[in-house]
Amino acid sequence: MKILVCISNVPDTTSKINFAENDTKFDTNGVQFVINPNDEFGLTRAMWFKEKQGATVHVATVGGTTTEPTIRKALAIGADEAIRVNAEPTDGFFVAEQLTDVAKNGDYDLIIAGRESIDYNGGMVPGIMATLLNMNFVNTCIGLEVEGNNATAMREIDGGKEKIATTLPLVIGGQKGLVEESDLRIPNMRGIMMARQKKLSVVEPIASSNATEDIKFEKPAPKGAVKLVDADDMDELVRLLHNEAKVI
């Protein structure tokens, strides 16, 4: 089985987010970037298939040279090869088309992508890829088993879970639950050294255009000051809830 794991290079959740150029551009200065958490769950599951079933695992990302430390981490975790499409990921449809081209050239049986990235939260890429590749698709996937050409997936739905039987080739949009958080891997020194010897191919993007455009970014409004009310002053609490919070 040949697996492609799609990796998105996203800001660490502890990073302070700012915008530039009149709030039209994301300011990357001082921001630490990491593997998108939903993609990391997928990468870890791919490593299980590699170790238990002898699968070959490639990783791919769309981005400039600044994304290479992130994709090198994926190689250090255990991926066999990496592909970087040399373009800025400015739009979900653009990214999906670039990764689809990588997938077509690689003849993959299973494509694992995160259901969404934690920066723009578009949630579009895996579904678009499945459509363009004419492959079966399971989104919000929290469990996956593969035996030969048959796959059994568990996905999260409103109010519960759904078990699906399908076949390869398959695209999944993975998320937390695909593996346990305790199973996520930190590269060890041997993995880091081996990653330096693994193949990282840089390919130029295919012709494509953005289907969407970011007009402006806006931070959430700051929270108001906390008002403390004496535990014995119920009249004041009721007044505040009624007149200011307007919840009663």
Side-chain angles (χ1 to χ4, degrees):
M1 180 167 57
K2 193 174 181 183
I3 304 173
L4 176 67
V5 182
C6 302
I7 300 292
S8 185
N9 185 57
V10 300
D12 192 304
T13 54
T14 61
S15 298
K16 185 176 181 180
I17 301 302
N18 291 299
F19 304 107
E21 299 181 28
N22 294 320
D23 293 334
T24 61
K25 300 291 183 183
F26 173 58
D27 187 359
T28 60
N29 290 324
V31 175
Q32 177 69 35
F33 284 84
V34 297
I35 297 174
N36 180 50
N38 287 321
D39 302 340
E40 193 167 7
F41 287 113
L43 177 61
T44 304
R45 191 59 181 162
M47 290 300 100
W48 188 92
F49 287 124
K50 177 180 177 180
E51 293 165 1
K52 303 297 183 180
Q53 300 183 5
T56 299
V57 178
H58 293 179
V59 292
T61 193
V62 179
T65 56
T66 55
T67 66
E68 290 196 5
T70 297
I71 204 165
R72 285 285 183 192
K73 179 182 176 181
L75 290 173
I77 287 172
D80 300 297
E81 291 185 18
I83 303 103
R84 177 174 68 83
V85 180
N86 189 31
E88 289 302 313
T90 51
D91 168 76
F93 185 75
F94 175 84
V95 170
E97 283 204 314
Q98 305 307 320
L99 292 174
T100 295
D101 187 62
V102 171
K104 286 179 178 177
N105 291 327
D107 193 27
Y108 296 99
D109 304 296
L110 174 64
I111 298 173
I112 302 177
R115 68 177 177 90
E116 64 181 0
S117 61
I118 64 167
D119 47 6
Y120 294 99
N121 300 102
M124 298 183 290
V125 170
I128 294 173
M129 288 184 68
T131 300
L132 295 176
L133 291 165
N134 194 29
M135 288 185 178
N136 294 326
F137 176 50
V138 178
N139 203 18
T140 61
C141 189
I142 55 173
L144 182 66
E145 299 290 343
V146 178
E147 290 292 339
N149 197 46
N150 298 312
T152 304
M154 186 74 71
R155 76 184 192 102
E156 191 173 73
I157 60 174
D158 289 341
K161 302 174 182 178
E162 181 181 33
K163 190 174 184 180
I164 299 173
T166 184
T167 57
L168 303 181
L170 172 68
V171 178
I172 70 162
Q175 63 178 51
K176 181 179 179 180
L178 193 56
V179 298
E180 298 297 327
E181 286 192 73
S182 58
D183 293 329
L184 296 177
R185 305 184 181 193
I186 299 174
N188 55 31
M189 184 56 66
R190 182 172 181 270
I192 293 171
M193 297 300 292
M194 289 181 65
R196 296 177 181 176
Q197 309 302 319
K198 292 179 180 178
K199 184 178 180 181
L200 195 167
S201 302
V202 179
V203 298
E204 293 305 312
I206 61 171
S208 179
S209 59
N210 290 354
T212 61
E213 179 185 0
D214 294 322
I215 298 173
K216 188 177 182 180
F217 295 98
E218 183 178 345
K219 290 185 178 182
K223 294 182 179 179
V226 175
K227 290 187 178 181
L228 299 177
V229 180
D230 190 279
D232 297 324
D233 193 354
M234 292 301 297
D235 289 340
E236 176 64 8
L237 177 60
V238 171
R239 187 190 70 79
L240 291 171
L241 291 173
H242 179 70
N243 296 330
E244 295 192 18
K246 300 185 185 302
V247 294
I248 60 173

